[in-house]
Amino acid sequence: MTDTGKPAAPAPTAPTVPKVPAVPKYAETIDAGYRASNRVWIRVWIYIVSGHVFVAFLFLLFYVGSHKG
């Protein structure tokens, strides 16, 4: 080859891919599932009780309204 006086073109490089795992790694927990389950059941019971109280209040309003005067 002859020297043309031009600098050589840089060699093509493959694009770099960041090394990020597809699924994040979380620290292991001992009883988080149990505590989360407890919280869900407590919330369910609160919703059930408050729903029944609300319906009882509506029932009382209709009862008082139908027996008025």
Side-chain angles (χ1 to χ4, degrees), residues 2-65:
T2 61
D3 187 16
T4 60
K6 295 181 184 176
T13 59
T16 58
V17 178
K19 301 205 179 211
V20 178
V23 178
K25 302 269 182 178
Y26 295 108
E28 290 187 27
T29 56
I30 296 171
D31 62 347
Y34 173 74
R35 283 185 288 173
S37 179
N38 262 355
R39 287 187 205 123
V40 168
W41 282 111
I42 290 170
R43 198 175 308 131
V44 165
W45 280 111
I46 289 172
Y47 290 153
I48 288 174
V49 169
S50 61
H52 279 81
V53 168
F54 179 69
V55 169
F57 177 69
L58 286 178
F59 179 77
L60 178 68
L61 287 179
F62 278 100
Y63 180 79
V64 169

